[in-house]
Amino acid sequence: MKKRFKLYLLFVLLASLVLTAFVPQTAAGEMAEAVRPEKIDPALWDVLLAADEETLIPIDISLYDLDENTLSEKVELETGLDPEVFRDEARFEKEIASKLRTAAQTAFREETSYKASAKRLSDQAFAKLKTALSDDWGQWIDDASLEDIREIEPEKIVDRLILEIRSEFQFKQNEILRAEQFAANYAFVTEHVQARGNRVLHIRNYFASILVEAKKADILYYAQRGEVAAIFYTPVYQAEDALNHISNQVGADSVLGTKSINFNDGKGFKGEGISIGILEAGGVIDTSSPHYDQSRMTSVPNGSEQLVVSTHASLVTAIAAGERVGYNGVVYTGIVPEAKVYITRASNSSTFVDGLDALAAQGVNVINISLGFRNTASYTSIDRDLDRFINRTGITCVVAAGNNAGGYGDGTTYINSPGYAMNCITVGNLRTKSSGSSKIGVTPYTIHSSSSWEEPNSLPSEPDISAPGTWVRAVRTTTGTNPFYFDLEGEEPTGTSYAAPVVTGIVAQMMEEHSAKIGNPQAVKAKIMNTASPSLVSNANNGTESNPYLRDLSGAGMVNAVKAMSGTAYKYAWNHSALELNYITQFTVSLSAGQKIRATLAFTNKNTDVIIQNGTQYYDMNLRLVDAATGAVLSAAEESRNNVEIVEYTASNACTVYVQTRIASGVSGVSTNWALEIDRY
């Protein structure tokens, strides 16, 4: 009897051990022995090891994005237009632009007002134009837009119609993406999140991501799902304005800053037909500001965020697109005082993407992000989300680098997230004046001591470009003794917050001048960096790592609005998407003696199922200038960790050069989009 009882106990013990081997081990001590599932990010794994069974952990469940080909087919079915047409200028000209010109010519035939000197279409011509557009383009250009178009010079109407169609197509394409992606995300939430009793924090609209609070066992369950690409730990970061207060500050350049009437009046690119989004940490524009225009500027709700008045937001908006305001004999105006502006607030990382979504839903073409998250000295989920957003929507995003250098901010010199996002344009703060009332300083200018510039060795060099952002003045009130923003605090504002909207305004000008840049963020980035002025920025304590045309503190140099317009462009190529290693393109350019060629290559980070920790996790492309006669390399940019490469060469004699791009390394199963800009001077 005792022997049988001992055998029974032994059987129970063995069975228990066998069963235990197949039960998920979630205790901290047991998990320490386990191997991290591939889909769980290392930072999240460390949290799981330390957490108990009942702890709710904030996570980002990253699903696989919708197939781009399937989505394109859906867009074409619903709109009647192939998205590829908008990525190929030759096709766009043949299939859309030429038809618009024909429609306009039909409307203007025998129209005496259609002359260079005409200021407005006659009623007869306008009626003919509406009729000519109604059949093919009625869904793209509504009556309200036509009424606006009627007020511009007749000779500019076709260009404006093209711009309207590009903007409307981007908007409709993103609406379809939003509906399809949200439906896919919500299906996963219903089946796998709500069914397990987990709390849903946010369901993303434009890419495949869900923010959830979940227990350890549920996180391990999600890591086993086939539709899950990766899972990340998502602590909440508090957003703050990318602003700094410093005593001896420098004012915005009178040509490129808030007093930009010289450029706007001279060239006429004031943002007509372009929509700007502004995402702020503290609030929205003060409607009592003289720079505010209720017909152009709209505050957009973002969940439970309180849309309170913010001095910072008011000044950022004024710099980018403020109304013309005269004070004490000086006219202060935004870079694009005729652009539409949509502004909202995101006070923390949980509402950051929701704020981007809210602006995208308004059909914006470019978003200014003059906020940052401190203590983010590496590529974070915030940067990844912005990269993903830009990839999916095609909206250009301009980001303030932060103000952590020179003992300011967190004192690290590191850029703030989301400034590490590879697909955005990150902006440093250039010092161009010595006080608010002083005139423009002597070149070369210096980067302000507070402007952030450091990044981990795993990431591309930042910032991308620099712009005036110190001693920036905009009018708070036209009466009283403290007329300018921040005068009430006894300080003048400075910081990358105010450099970023200068670039945002110029991006809007670029889109107005050449509407093919709408929906093409890499083309915008390549152009604006290629036409920057490096010689206007001091090299003192502003070195380079490998590419001599990308400096640590100032990037490609000072933004140059005049050159950023395509008048000086020689050639461009963009929206190339490739997987193949050693894929090479070659463009032939003729140079005369003494002529300079400058080329910039910008390519995307599409590997958004990881939080970048090393240079092998994103594409590497190389750029070369080669003598066509001898094969000699004249200039090369082959830095392995940059996603922007710049080359430059001045010809001593008349010659022909090849501009070559090559994919040096890639990421398995992930493509990259790239844009190349070539200019001759």
Side-chain angles (χ1 to χ4, degrees), residues 427-432 447 465-470 499-500 502-503 557-559:
V427 185
N429 171 15
L430 193 61
R431 185 180 190 272
T432 58
I447 289 292
I465 202 166
S466 53
T470 316
V502 172
V503 174
M558 178 174 170
V559 65

Side-chain angles (χ1 to χ4, degrees), residues 137-467:
W137 311 108
Q139 66 164 318
W140 301 100
I141 306 171
D142 58 23
D143 288 344
S145 296
L146 276 176
E147 289 293 341
D148 290 340
I149 291 171
R150 184 185 188 181
E151 300 304 317
I152 69 177
E153 294 90 339
E155 64 177 0
K156 296 182 179 180
I157 283 179
V158 172
D159 288 340
R160 181 61 177 274
L161 291 172
I162 290 172
L163 188 154
E164 290 286 338
I165 286 176
R166 284 192 179 276
S167 291
E168 186 64 16
F169 181 81
Q170 182 187 25
F171 174 66
K172 289 188 176 182
Q173 180 176 246
N174 284 338
E175 275 193 322
I176 294 168
L177 167 62
R178 180 187 180 105
E180 294 290 311
Q181 189 65 74
F182 183 84
N185 291 348
Y186 190 74
F188 183 89
V189 165
T190 302
E191 184 174 356
H192 300 292
V193 180
Q194 293 176 340
R196 299 182 72 84
N198 294 148
R199 181 186 174 198
V200 180
L201 301 176
H202 296 277
I203 302 175
R204 300 307 191 200
N205 290 310
Y206 293 100
F207 52 87
S209 173
I210 303 152
L211 300 190
V212 174
E213 281 186 343
K215 296 179 182 179
K216 185 183 300 185
D218 290 327
I219 295 172
L220 295 174
Y221 163 79
Y222 294 133
Q224 299 172 30
R225 301 299 311 169
E227 57 267 63
V228 173
I231 309 174
F232 304 92
Y233 178 54
T234 55
V236 176
Y237 295 90
Q238 293 302 310
E240 60 181 25
D241 299 327
L243 162 69
N244 208 16
H245 294 294
I246 303 171
S247 53
N248 295 316
Q249 300 163 350
V250 187
D253 187 308
S254 64
V255 175
L256 297 178
T258 53
K259 295 178 284 186
S260 60
I261 54 171
N262 293 337
F263 181 76
N264 281 331
D265 287 353
K267 299 295 183 181
F269 300 118
K270 304 177 185 178
E272 288 182 303
I274 303 299
S275 294
I276 293 175
I278 294 179
L279 187 60
E280 284 284 304
V284 297
I285 187 172
D286 184 354
T287 57
S288 67
S289 164
H291 290 292
Y292 171 74
D293 179 359
Q294 64 178 351
S295 68
R296 295 190 298 112
M297 299 177 179
T298 304
S299 294
V300 179
N302 179 22
S304 60
E305 290 281 16
Q306 298 297 309
L307 301 184
V308 297
V309 170
S310 163
T311 299
H312 181 274
S314 300
L315 183 49
V316 167
T317 305
I319 294 168
E323 281 289 292
R324 292 165 59 94
V325 177
Y327 179 79
N328 198 25
V330 177
V331 175
Y332 296 82
T333 178
I335 304 294
V336 278
E338 295 182 15
K340 289 185 178 179
V341 177
Y342 298 91
I343 182 169
T344 194
R345 180 189 186 194
S347 62
N348 58 63
S349 56
S350 293
T351 59
F352 174 68
V353 174
D354 290 339
L356 295 173
D357 288 359
L359 296 174
Q362 302 300 319
V364 299
N365 307 117
V366 55
I367 296 176
N368 186 87
I369 305 172
S370 286
L371 59 78
F373 300 86
R374 278 195 189 178
N375 303 311
T376 50
S378 63
Y379 188 92
T380 67
S381 59
I382 303 166
D383 306 285
R384 181 184 65 95
D385 285 347
L386 184 57
D387 269 338
R388 210 166 184 182
F389 174 83
I390 296 169
N391 276 333
R392 301 299 279 179
T393 64
I395 297 172
T396 298
C397 291
V398 179
V399 180
N403 308 290
N404 296 320
Y408 297 95
D410 61 24
T412 64
T413 74
Y414 275 92
I415 287 168
N416 287 334
S417 294
Y420 295 123
M422 299 184 197
N423 302 333
C424 73
I425 300 170
T426 302
V427 185
N429 171 15
L430 193 61
R431 185 180 190 272
T432 58
K433 293 172 70 178
S434 59
S435 70
S437 58
S438 68
K439 296 181 179 180
I440 301 300
V442 177
T443 59
Y445 306 127
T446 58
I447 289 292
H448 197 281
S449 60
S450 66
S451 186
S452 296
W453 57 272
E454 187 69 83
E455 72 285 323
N457 288 333
S458 59
L459 296 177
S461 179
E462 301 287 1
D464 295 305
I465 202 166
S466 53

Side-chain angles (χ1 to χ4, degrees), residues 560-579:
N560 188 318
V562 177
K563 287 185 177 180
M565 304 304 113
S566 64
T568 58
Y570 173 72
K571 182 174 290 201
Y572 55 83
W574 58 54
N575 278 323
H576 292 263
S577 182
L579 281 165

